[in-house]
Amino acid sequence: MGEKLTCRRRQGVKNKLRSCDHLVNAAWGLRRIENHCSVPDGEEVVLERGSVRVEVSLRPFGFTIRRAGRRLVRSGGMWAADGTVNDRFIQLTEGVIAREELAPRQLARRALVVHAGRDQLELTLALDEGRVGRLGVLLRGDRRVSLELHVDRDPLRVGVDWDRRADERLVGLGARHGVQFDQSGRDVQLGADRRYTGPDCPPEMLSDGGIPQGDCAPVPWLISSRGYAVWLQSEANGIRFELGGERLSVSTRARAGPLRLDFLTDPTPAALLRAYCRVSGFPGLLAEWGYGFWKGRDIYEHRNDVLDDFTGFRAHGIPLDAIVLDSPWATQYNTWEFNPYQFPDAAGMIRRLREAGVRTVVWVTPWVNVDSRDGQSPPQLESERLFRAPAANYSAGALAGHFVRDGDGEPFVATWWMGEGSPVDFTSPVAEEWWRSQARRVLELGVEGVKVDDGEGYYVPDEVQLADGRKGGSGAWALGGLHRLSLQRALDEVHPGTGVVFCRSGWSGQQACGITWGGDQVSDFWSLRALVVATLSAACSGISNWSHDIGGYLGHRLTERCPPELLVRWLQFGCFTPLMHAHARMAQEPWCYGENVVQLYRAYVVLHEQLVPYVRAAALTAARSGLPVIRPLCLVDPGDPRGWTITDAYGYGPALWVAPVLDDGAREREVWLPRGEWIETWSGSRVRGGAELTIQAPLHRIPVWVRAGSIVVTYPASHVALGLGDVAESGRPLCATLWGEPRLGRTAVRLADGTRIAWRRGHWSVSRERDVQFSEK
């Protein structure tokens, strides 16, 4: 079906659009055009293209979106509200307490068509109290409806709302750290929606919703079980998804500019995610070591501490692919110059690690400091002297205008968790090149990865000025993504095809560049459970390359290292995460816990390394289709109603179902197994899915199943005993295991390097010359 525009009475009688003699609200500066029209009460305008149909009622105003006749969005409306913002940023925890004083909403009551085209409409809206709005409706292709709303007289907030269905489930919004995967029933302000309510939260704070924490990777994207998704195209603070009432509402603060909201109507959640990635960016396929095992500490006080970690992992036979030099490693925050007192002969250290197959990753934030006395510094007297002075590159950056500017045009100076400084303005091409050129000097020493910390929009006030003409009120969350892109560009210039960025900040489109990690967690089981939920919601938001700090960065009660049982359970979850990463404030090296933990640590890191070809094949699928490596059940079987609420299990690539143990002392757990035939990996027992089962889970075991009839390709354990090293992917030996017999008598897999391995009625085949060991279970 082609595009169609009709204007009709609700009784179904079509009327021709009639010319209108008057101009509509000159305050908007709308030009007079020939197809202005006026429509009697009770009429509606219909846009139709392919299977998508948008019905706009004019008096009273409302809209409905259908796909193939099925009503997806019902009784849509528009609104505005005056008010004031009283958000409070808690610097210590990087959390935001969201608070606004809002007047009653002024609703759009009627509409007038100003312009009508084959696949677009422009209308003026009459809201309560004489307020006027302008609404654009555009069909983009045959499955995407775009709305753009302007409202006059500078309201605080503008929004779109529609009826919520009783059985409607809602997932996404980036990494939602909490106990609820289905976001229906919640009201979420992105960037201000993370609270710790675990066992160590003081009771008086629990009553206020918990301890605010950094909501690091929000995404204004939401998938509905009704068969649609919404994407708010904005990079502003203050975006709200109100999902708790009889009507769903998405809104933004009007100072961010017009509200731009897309409804996507592709038929399945996986197709919706693919459509979203098509316009915002597909996840990248990383170099192999980007899916390996990395180790860091809160601070390596001296070069010798780095070598202690390196030799410790070697001595205990635990694979290692990268060491992350966290804060600080430079002469100041952030000079891009190695501190010679902390890291004498840094180039030699990097070279020694690299010759052993271990990459070096350095940490950075977008801030350049004028004062770091309240930040972290190495213990050497010479280092402390360096940190008392402004960063050596600050004055040059300020003079050239490379920093975000305050309202007077001066460098914006603020306090962050490592002192006081100014953030780089990555909307300026000149500033970006200045920053990238400094990074290149370090990368040329052999550094192959950058850990990009900070960069969230809650550090950017509304009134600051950006070089691209925006203010913080409309571009706060853009800077983190631009920082990612800048450093990935630097890596590509120095290490083409192998450099990896590892980032904390997230937003729409940032899934296309590097890895995102889940921010800082307390070392307790509540935080581990909340992290698993964040992992699932991030996956539903397009984030495929994902990681987290094994054992929790913040420590147990903020003062002790992670308890041993928790470390093991977190380790098991980390094994089945795309990048396995250990990092903490406390001494959480496995040898600190005794031989039993060392053996389990070794076994799970080796298993993770063995799975790299399987994971990269799934990552290639993500890069082509948007379907992430970690797959909540709602993405692969949306018809199973349990899939929209499962918080503690997930698909890992196309063949595995993983159920981490998330309770202290648990030695068994209940698991909902997806429909189909499955084989439990540890015992080899076969079971039919589509039901809940109880599985034994001793401390050394994480429950994992393989879908019957699947080939899982791994590396031999002996090949990755020390890590991935430098062997070319196409030259590595492989193990191909068929788990159960395929229902049709044949199956095949394709690896990221193009190798195809197939099984057909008892016979194996490989598309190219490879060393492959075959087995069947």
Side-chain angles (χ1 to χ4, degrees):
M1 183 182 294
E3 300 91 344
K4 184 194 296 184
L5 169 70
T6 62
C7 180
R8 62 184 177 85
R9 293 187 183 277
R10 290 195 181 276
Q11 292 84 358
V13 180
K14 290 186 179 179
N15 286 335
K16 293 183 178 179
L17 298 176
R18 297 194 294 272
S19 298
C20 178
D21 293 333
H22 61 278
L23 292 173
V24 183
N25 206 319
W28 287 110
L30 297 175
R31 58 187 177 86
R32 184 184 179 105
I33 52 180
E34 291 181 358
N35 55 352
H36 280 180
C37 62
S38 62
V39 186
D41 289 355
E43 292 193 348
E44 66 180 23
V45 181
V46 175
L47 290 177
E48 194 165 3
R49 185 171 182 177
S51 62
V52 172
R53 177 183 176 93
V54 182
E55 301 165 356
V56 181
S57 169
L58 302 178
R59 300 185 183 181
F61 171 75
F63 69 91
T64 296
I65 300 176
R66 301 178 187 268
R67 183 188 64 235
R70 182 172 184 261
R71 191 166 51 180
L72 304 180
V73 176
R74 181 177 69 184
S75 301
M78 311 281 168
W79 59 270
D82 294 317
T84 57
V85 177
N86 298 299
D87 290 353
R88 182 183 173 198
F89 177 55
I90 310 299
Q91 183 187 334
L92 179 64
T93 62
E94 294 188 279
V96 177
I97 300 174
R99 190 162 296 147
E100 292 179 348
E101 301 294 332
L102 280 180
R105 291 181 179 180
Q106 299 163 346
L107 307 182
R109 300 296 184 179
R110 59 188 184 277
L112 176 68
V113 176
V114 176
H115 172 75
R118 284 200 316 176
D119 54 6
Q120 61 183 330
L121 288 172
E122 189 171 350
L123 306 100
T124 54
L125 304 178
L127 287 77
D128 294 330
E129 300 182 23
R131 196 160 232 153
V132 176
R134 183 176 65 194
L135 174 65
V137 184
L138 176 64
L139 297 183
R140 299 179 183 271
D142 59 358
R143 291 180 178 173
R144 182 175 163 204
V145 180
S146 295
L147 306 179
E148 182 170 311
L149 175 63
H150 306 247
V151 177
D152 72 347
R153 293 177 7 211
D154 297 325
L156 174 65
R157 188 167 286 280
V158 294
V160 178
D161 60 2
W162 60 97
D163 283 351
R164 174 190 171 195
R165 308 301 180 91
D167 60 347
E168 189 167 7
R169 305 296 186 181
L170 302 161
V171 297
L173 299 182
R176 298 298 94 217
H177 293 263
V179 296
Q180 186 175 329
F181 173 55
D182 171 19
Q183 300 299 306
S184 61
R186 302 190 65 234
D187 290 340
V188 176
Q189 180 170 311
L190 296 183
D193 181 54
R194 186 177 173 196
R195 299 291 185 96
Y196 174 78
T197 59
D200 295 322
C201 181
E204 63 273 16
M205 298 198 74
L206 268 179
S207 61
D208 289 332
I211 300 172
Q213 290 185 291
D215 187 8
C216 301
V219 179
W221 161 262
L222 191 70
I223 300 175
S224 167
S225 62
R226 290 285 303 171
Y228 68 91
V230 292
W231 176 32
L232 184 61
Q233 294 193 53
S234 174
E235 294 168 317
N237 279 313
I239 291 171
R240 284 190 178 178
F241 285 74
E242 295 172 75
L243 313 176
E246 294 181 354
R247 288 178 67 78
L248 304 176
S249 177
V250 181
S251 64
T252 187
R253 291 170 182 160
R255 69 184 65 173
L259 182 150
R260 295 186 175 95
L261 186 68
D262 280 8
F263 287 88
L264 288 81
T265 66
D266 297 72
T268 67
L272 288 165
L273 204 54
R274 180 169 61 249
Y276 167 68
C277 289
R278 191 176 291 123
V279 293
S280 66
F282 285 96
L285 178 65
L286 308 179
E288 278 197 299
W289 73 279
Y291 300 102
F293 173 72
W294 297 9
K295 172 64 171 67
R297 295 187 191 180
D298 190 40
I299 177 174
Y300 287 103
E301 294 184 347
H302 192 269
R303 173 181 184 270
N304 293 341
D305 298 331
V306 176
L307 298 179
D308 283 347
D309 262 3
F310 168 67
T311 56
F313 277 86
R314 280 288 190 266
H316 291 90
I318 301 173
L320 182 64
D321 297 305
I323 285 182
V324 182
L325 306 182
D326 211 282
S327 58
W329 59 271
T331 55
Q332 243 283 26
Y333 300 103
N334 282 283
T335 61
W336 291 104
E337 295 178 359
F338 268 99
N339 180 347
Y341 308 107
Q342 184 183 6
F343 294 106
D345 189 20
M349 177 189 72
I350 295 166
R351 185 168 54 253
R352 176 178 172 182
L353 295 175
R354 190 65 187 83
E355 288 170 353
V358 178
R359 271 82 173 177
T360 299
V361 179
V362 296
W363 171 98
V364 75
T365 74
W367 298 84
V368 181
N369 271 12
V370 293
D371 188 346
S372 297
R373 286 174 292 181
D374 291 334
Q376 190 165 254
S377 64
Q380 302 89 12
L381 290 176
E382 297 89 344
S383 295
E384 292 175 0
R385 176 180 55 79
L386 289 173
F387 279 74
R388 286 196 295 268
N393 54 346
Y394 185 87
S395 59
L399 185 64
H402 294 329
F403 299 127
V404 173
R405 292 166 292 137
D406 63 21
D408 296 324
E410 297 298 319
F412 166 66
V413 178
T415 300
W416 61 293
W417 34 279
M418 285 300 180
E420 188 176 83
S422 299
V424 177
D425 184 353
F426 293 101
T427 71
S428 162
V430 178
E432 185 275 330
E433 163 59 28
W434 172 73
W435 191 250
R436 182 163 40 91
S437 66
Q438 295 174 83
R440 280 198 302 264
R441 293 198 300 268
V442 172
L443 303 181
E444 287 163 357
L445 296 176
V447 171
E448 292 183 68
V450 183
K451 180 178 180 179
V452 186
D453 209 341
D454 201 289
E456 293 80 13
Y458 44 68
Y459 275 105
V460 183
D462 288 349
E463 65 274 7
V464 300
Q465 303 176 60
L466 304 180
D468 66 358
R470 288 184 290 177
K471 291 192 173 183
S474 60
W477 286 89
L479 295 173
L482 293 173
H483 193 191
R484 276 191 190 225
L485 291 172
S486 175
L487 293 178
Q488 185 63 65
R489 184 178 174 188
L491 285 160
D492 292 343
E493 290 168 348
V494 181
H495 303 292
T498 64
V500 177
V501 291
F502 178 56
C503 310
R504 189 180 79 170
S505 173
W507 198 257
S508 286
Q510 295 193 28
Q511 75 277 354
C513 183
I515 305 167
T516 303
W517 92 89
D520 300 341
Q521 285 83 36
V522 176
S523 300
D524 59 36
F525 275 94
W526 184 94
S527 297
L528 176 57
R529 182 175 290 275
L531 176 63
V532 174
V533 172
T535 300
L536 302 184
S537 61
C540 288
S541 307
I543 300 173
S544 180
N545 296 319
W546 175 259
S547 188
H548 48 86
D549 297 339
I550 291 171
Y553 167 74
L554 295 171
H556 183 53
R557 298 185 179 132
L558 307 183
T559 59
E560 307 166 9
R561 71 182 178 211
C562 178
E565 179 167 334
L566 175 62
L567 181 70
V568 170
R569 294 307 193 188
W570 211 311
L571 173 78
Q572 293 166 346
F573 172 47
C575 175
F576 293 94
T577 302
L579 169 65
M580 194 175 191
H581 175 242
H583 177 67
R585 293 171 59 237
M586 314 299 172
Q588 290 179 188
E589 287 71 35
W591 47 87
C592 298
Y593 291 85
E595 184 57 28
N596 287 340
V597 170
V598 167
Q599 290 181 10
L600 288 173
Y601 212 107
R602 180 190 305 118
Y604 277 102
V605 176
V606 168
L607 177 56
H608 178 86
E609 302 282 275
Q610 289 183 268
L611 285 168
V612 165
Y614 172 82
V615 171
R616 285 195 84 239
L620 179 61
T621 298
R624 291 175 172 174
S625 73
L627 185 65
V629 174
I630 290 177
R631 300 174 183 178
L633 183 56
C634 63
L635 290 184
V636 293
D637 188 3
D640 186 337
R642 291 288 295 268
W644 297 89
T645 58
I646 292 173
T647 62
D648 56 2
Y650 55 91
Y652 193 57
L656 303 181
W657 185 254
V658 179
V661 178
L662 305 176
D663 294 304
D664 194 7
R667 296 298 180 264
E668 65 176 19
R669 62 155 293 181
E670 292 76 35
V671 181
W672 180 265
L673 202 58
R675 290 180 280 203
E677 299 291 330
W678 296 87
I679 301 172
E680 202 271 319
T681 55
W682 302 102
S683 67
S685 62
R686 296 169 182 250
V687 62
R688 180 177 292 275
E692 184 175 273
L693 57 102
T694 300
I695 185 76
Q696 295 300 304
L699 183 59
H700 66 276
R701 184 182 300 172
I702 177 175
V704 180
W705 291 261
V706 182
R707 187 177 293 279
S710 299
I711 296 174
V712 177
V713 179
T714 61
Y715 290 140
S718 59
H719 178 70
V720 293
L722 297 179
L724 294 166
D726 288 307
V727 178
E729 183 179 14
S730 59
R732 295 185 187 276
L734 299 171
C735 299
T737 303
L738 175 66
W739 292 77
E741 186 167 342
R743 189 181 308 175
L744 300 178
R746 64 182 184 273
T747 188
V749 295
R750 188 177 298 276
L751 303 184
D753 71 346
T755 300
R756 184 178 185 272
I757 300 176
W759 183 94
R760 182 182 178 90
R761 304 193 185 283
H763 299 283
W764 290 90
S765 62
V766 184
S767 64
R768 59 181 64 179
E769 191 69 26
R770 292 293 295 266
D771 176 6
V772 185
Q773 300 176 21
F774 302 107
S775 63
E776 300 174 19
K777 293 190 177 183

